[in-house]
Every structure is written in structure tokens, then in C-alpha cells.
Amino acid sequence: MDKIKRERWKRKFGEWFSENIENAGIIDIRYPIKGTYVWLPYGFKLRKHLIDLLRRLHNETGHEETLFPLLIPEQEFMKEAKHVKGFENEVYWVTHGGIEELNVKLAIRPTSETAIYPMFALWIRSHKDMPLKIYQVVNVFRYETKSTKPLIRLREITTFKEAHTAHATKEDAEKQVKEAISIYKKFFDELGIPYIISKRPEWDKFPGAEYTTAFDTIMPDGKSLQIATVHNLAQNFSKTFEIKFEDVNGEQNYAYQTCYGISDRAIASHLALHGDDLGLCLSPEVAPFQIVVVPILYEGKEEAVNAHLKKVLKILENFRIHIDDRNETPGSKFYYWEKKGVPLRIEIGPKDAEANAVTVAIRSNGKKEQVKLEALSLHLKNTILEIKNTLRERAWSFLSEMTSSALSLEEAEKILKRKGGIIKTSWCGKKECAEKIENELNVRLLGINEEERKKGKCIACGEETESVLNIAKAY
Ligand SMILES: [Zn+2]
């Protein structure tokens, strides 16, 4: 019998999500400031593994980790007009030091361009100082006025990986955008999170960017969630912050820049997309524990089981494990770890000891089998790979189920009502048509995928076009 169901997970996703991140011990939502939450030990471990993966992917592509201050002086923050305008409603300000009013107000970073680029201006003198590729993992603050949601819409974004680069030529910056996209593809592939990539419309790009490319995924309730963005800043910020260098011909030029970011939403989508009606279901890549070991002790057989357990633990040295030896029934332990989404459970009972074996249960498909100790190490390695692949495939097939195409506004509306998801349609590129689509369907224009061309007629005005537009109801 297949015990894995995803009915409530899909039908009542909002409830499912808040309930399970709490039940599993990921975060505590009771902190008395709206939009801020406490990372609990189990959630913190998961977050750490996810950040480690991000660090590895950045380090191996020549990025170096740094740490910039949380506070940004008002005059730096206000320098780039479009950037300021984009963030003016969201910035927290520090106005006092103790009881003294500060001469210069300090912005609490909502993102770090205006903290980092004045320093770039000091560090970059010649084309030989580039490419400069740095990143940091920090918390940022945004005064969200829409209703906040744990890990999805926050006032304190606790996991903000932002990378910033500077280059001597436009082509190098363009290449960097491609590298960033490929890093993020690898990151989401490792986590098994499916995505679609769109170039955001002109009016929805990052404030101050030349253009923005975004990754979106679809949540179980059919709404899209932006999970990463990559921005080509061209020379917009370097001109404002005087990031000048001597180029190969000895001439002064402004640097070409890019920046790209990932937030807590990557964690949210991992928790959301792999879950089921039993609770979370984590990928062995980032799970706090890949395996939970449950000794099953019957009276009179404790010694045999404990001796066997010692042998088993030797074999498990290379995995992240947790031994649950609490004084609880095996059944309640199984249930407890199922909710928390630990990928594998190893049961060790008297019968396993007799057979020189253990019983291995897989969280993602509910299957259970006895495995001999001599085969155990290899069996676990293969199973972990298999789980990663299965989760990824299941999530991608969900995304493809939730992706439709529509030839008219009416058709799009019907699909949105029936199941939501991402709708691919045709758009001429005019802003008035975009507004019509947004208003009539109450959707977000995620943008166009430049690699996808298809002949069609603009869904709003009927003009012929080859651009494929992605739209969705969005978080
Ligand atoms: Zn049109």
C-alpha cells in the first residue's frame, strides 16, 4: 500500500506549510515582531547545509566571501536615484545613537549595493583588478507592508546570499550573468527545486539594473514564487559610485557590474515542494540528519541489539546520523521523524541482530526493506542518490503539470481558476498590453524566456509576435 499522499499538501497548502515548518522544528513564529522569526536548532542545521552548498558553488567559480556592515550612511544610500526610489518604502532607518540624534541617518541594508560599491571604487584602479567577484551571506531588512509569511515574505530576511562583481568589459559582465545563472541552476538542481527562467519586464527589473533575469518556481497551491534573481547593472552604479579603472589602452573607463541573490525562499521552496501529507520530506543533500537510527529494544534482548548497534554505527560513520534512544515507543519515534522529513530511517531490532542486518525505511516513498550489514554502506550511498533524483523528478513533473499555454485571455482565466500555475502565452511587448493582461487576469508578468520563440498573437491586442510570455498568480 502506498502511504504517500499529497492531497492536503496541495488543497490546503497555506495551512500545511505553517503547520509543518513549526511541527518539524524549523522556525518558531512567535517572536513579537511581525515578519521576523527564530531559527530553531533543526531548521538552523538545514539552513547551514544549504548555505554550505551555496558557498561551495561560489568558491569553486572564483568568488570570494566577504562581510560588509549592516548600516549604510544616508548619502551613499541616496546616491543612485532609481535604486533609492525602488527601496524608499521598505527601508528601516537608524536615527539615534543612544539619546542623541545622529547627524547622518543610517539605513539598515535592504540589500548591499550602496554599502559595497563605494569600497569597490577604492579597490579598483586598473583592468588588472578585475574581474572582482565577491559574495556575502547576511541578513537584510525590508519593511514589508503586505501580509508577511514565514520564509516567504519577511521583514528580516535572515538568509540573503548576495554576490557582486565588477568587470573591465561589457562582454565580461554578460558572461558573468551566464555564470550566475548556471550556478543557480546547479544549486536548485542539487536541492531538487524546479524553476523557470524569465527576463523580467522593464518596469519590474531590479532598481538600477539594466535588466533582471529571475528564477521562479510553482508552489503546491499553484502560485509562483521568485526564488533567485540575476541583474546586469551595466555601468549604472559604477558611474554613480565612481568605480573607474584604467583599461588596456590606458584610458579611464567605468566598470561593468552584475549582482545576484538568493534568499530564505530557497529554503521555503525546498520544504514546500518535496513535502506530502505526512509532513516534510528533505533531500539528503541538506537534511540535518540523513539517517535516523532507531534501536528497538525488547526485554531480554537489549544486549544483543546494543552489540549489533555498535557494529552498525561503524558502518554509518560517513553519513549524517542521529540515534533516537529516547524512552518512547518505536511507533511514536517513526511518526516524529517522518514529520521532520529525515530521508532514511534504520531500525535495529532483535530480528535484525539475528540476521546480521538492519531494516531501512525510505521517507519519500514509504518503502521498507531488510539489508545485510555487508551490503549496507553501498546500499545507503545508492539510496541517497536515488532519493535525490526521485525528489527532483517528482518536483519537475509537478512543475510541468502546472505549466499550461493559453491563446486568449478567456482561456488563461479558465486555467487560472482551475489549477493556477504558470501560463505561457504570446505578448507583443507593449506596456499597455501588459497592463491589460495584469488587470484582467490579476497575475504577475514573470517575463519572457529569450531562448523560447514561438509564433503567435499577442493575447491582449492580437498583434503577431514570437515572444513567449510567462504569467502566474504570484506570492
Ligand atoms: Zn499586444
Side-chain angles (χ1 to χ4, degrees):
M1 196 186 72
D2 193 3
K3 64 189 272 195
I4 301 306
K5 290 199 178 70
R6 303 181 102 189
E7 285 160 17
R8 182 157 177 269
W9 169 79
K10 193 163 190 302
R11 203 164 26 83
K12 299 232 167 190
F13 172 68
E15 257 176 56
W16 179 95
F17 188 71
S18 0
E19 202 178 288
N20 279 291
I21 51 177
E22 234 186 308
N23 285 347
I26 303 293
I27 55 174
D28 194 323
I29 62 169
R30 293 172 296 179
Y31 193 75
I33 296 177
K34 182 180 148 78
T36 67
Y37 307 97
V38 178
W39 281 99
L40 295 168
Y42 188 72
F44 192 83
K45 287 188 188 81
L46 168 80
R47 175 178 176 272
K48 183 188 171 296
H49 292 306
L50 192 127
I51 294 174
D52 285 348
L53 172 61
L54 270 176
R55 284 203 167 101
R56 177 162 65 75
L57 293 172
H58 283 77
N59 295 346
E60 69 192 20
T61 45
H63 297 72
E64 289 192 289
E65 189 166 8
T66 56
L67 182 58
F68 280 75
L70 170 76
L71 299 173
I72 306 169
E74 183 180 19
Q75 67 271 26
E76 298 296 352
F77 190 77
M78 302 306 272
K79 260 184 193 163
E80 219 291 334
K82 283 181 196 145
H83 188 69
V84 176
K85 202 149 176 32
F87 281 101
E88 67 185 351
N89 295 328
E90 296 183 16
V91 180
Y92 284 93
W93 290 99
V94 175
T95 56
H96 285 75
I99 53 166
E100 247 173 76
E101 195 171 331
L102 300 176
N103 294 331
V104 178
K105 277 204 294 182
L106 303 169
I108 300 182
R109 64 179 165 225
T111 173
S112 303
E113 285 70 20
T114 56
I116 293 174
Y117 301 162
M119 300 309 292
F120 272 21
L122 301 174
W123 297 344
I124 295 170
R125 284 283 166 267
S126 137
H127 63 93
K128 289 177 194 151
D129 299 324
M130 290 180 285
L132 178 60
K133 293 157 72 172
I134 61 149
Y135 72 98
Q136 62 178 5
V137 187
V138 293
N139 52 350
V140 298
F141 292 79
R142 294 181 188 175
Y143 185 68
E144 277 290 349
T145 46
K146 290 185 198 167
S147 72
T148 55
K149 199 170 174 48
L151 301 178
I152 290 178
R153 192 171 293 286
L154 304 165
R155 286 190 171 170
E156 181 183 9
I157 300 166
T158 56
T159 314
F160 190 64
K161 189 290 302 168
E162 50 180 330
H164 298 268
T165 72
H167 307 269
T169 65
K170 198 176 165 185
E171 292 69 38
D172 286 352
E174 200 56 55
K175 267 189 220 153
Q176 193 55 41
V177 164
K178 294 206 168 78
E179 182 182 86
I181 291 173
S182 88
I183 290 171
Y184 286 176
K185 280 183 177 174
K186 270 189 207 154
F187 174 69
F188 290 122
D189 287 344
E190 287 292 316
L191 295 174
I193 299 169
Y195 47 82
I196 63 153
I197 299 173
S198 315
K199 186 174 176 182
R200 289 280 186 254
E202 200 44 34
W203 56 89
D204 196 18
K205 64 187 185 185
F206 179 70
E210 195 70 9
Y211 65 85
T212 291
T213 303
F215 285 64
D216 296 282
T217 194
I218 285 289
M219 297 298 257
D221 59 2
K223 280 201 232 165
S224 71
L225 183 72
Q226 174 177 301
I227 47 174
T229 48
V230 179
H231 316 290
N232 188 330
L233 304 177
Q235 293 175 311
N236 298 343
F237 281 88
S238 65
K239 285 182 178 164
T240 306
F241 288 95
E242 291 284 314
I243 307 172
K244 271 200 262 183
F245 69 97
E246 195 180 279
D247 67 18
V248 276
N249 306 316
E251 317 242 326
Q252 288 290 309
N253 198 356
Y254 291 101
Y256 295 86
Q257 293 181 268
T258 78
C259 66
Y260 30 102
I262 274 186
S263 73
D264 298 88
R265 287 180 164 198
I267 305 172
S269 54
H270 183 78
L271 300 177
L273 288 167
H274 300 316
D276 57 35
D277 290 356
L278 291 174
L280 302 182
C281 183
L282 305 175
S283 166
E285 181 71 27
V286 288
F289 313 118
Q290 294 168 315
I291 304 166
V292 60
V293 179
V294 181
I296 300 171
L297 301 167
Y298 289 103
E299 246 183 84
K301 307 263 184 181
E302 290 99 333
E303 230 169 276
V305 169
N306 280 329
H308 188 54
L309 174 65
K310 268 194 195 142
K311 278 202 275 177
V312 175
L313 292 182
K314 268 239 149 64
I315 300 171
L316 300 182
E317 267 170 0
N318 295 323
F319 301 93
R320 289 197 296 275
I321 67 158
H322 176 78
I323 306 160
D324 188 350
D325 51 9
R326 292 174 302 158
N327 190 18
E328 300 269 347
T329 64
S332 76
K333 290 181 186 178
F334 296 173
Y335 176 70
Y336 179 83
W337 293 107
E338 267 168 6
K339 272 192 308 186
K340 284 169 112 60
V342 175
L344 289 163
R345 180 178 75 232
I346 289 184
E347 302 165 17
I348 303 176
K351 279 190 184 147
D352 297 305
E354 267 166 41
N356 200 35
V358 294
T359 300
V360 179
I362 302 175
R363 169 64 183 87
S364 53
N365 61 18
K367 284 183 186 146
K368 218 165 135 161
E369 65 176 312
Q370 204 181 44
V371 182
K372 292 274 186 199
L373 284 206
E374 59 265 28
L376 185 60
S377 180
L378 187 64
H379 177 87
L380 292 173
K381 268 185 210 146
N382 291 338
T383 309
I384 279 174
L385 269 183
E386 220 177 278
I387 294 171
K388 265 179 74 174
N389 291 336
T390 313
L391 290 180
R392 183 169 57 229
E393 281 160 22
R394 185 169 71 171
W396 272 100
S397 85
F398 177 71
L399 179 78
S400 91
E401 249 169 63
M402 297 300 282
T403 306
S404 322
S405 39
L407 297 170
S408 67
L409 287 167
E410 296 72 40
E411 196 185 348
E413 194 171 9
K414 271 187 203 153
I415 297 166
L416 288 169
K417 262 207 188 118
R418 186 162 46 90
K419 65 169 185 178
I422 289 169
I423 298 178
K424 292 183 174 292
T425 188
S426 299
W427 172 48
C428 64
K430 284 201 284 285
K431 188 161 187 195
E432 65 215 59
C433 290
E435 278 167 1
K436 189 173 174 192
I437 297 167
E438 270 175 340
N439 293 337
E440 290 202 10
L441 299 175
N442 191 19
V443 288
R444 179 173 184 186
L445 265 69
L446 302 178
I448 57 170
N449 180 342
E450 288 183 313
E451 278 157 30
E452 200 179 349
R453 311 289 290 174
K454 198 181 157 200
K455 273 200 174 127
K457 286 180 178 161
C458 172
I459 194 175
C461 73
E463 197 180 296
E464 294 207 357
T465 175
E466 287 196 356
S467 294
V468 177
L469 172 71
N470 300 315
I471 57 174
K473 301 246 184 211
Y475 269 96

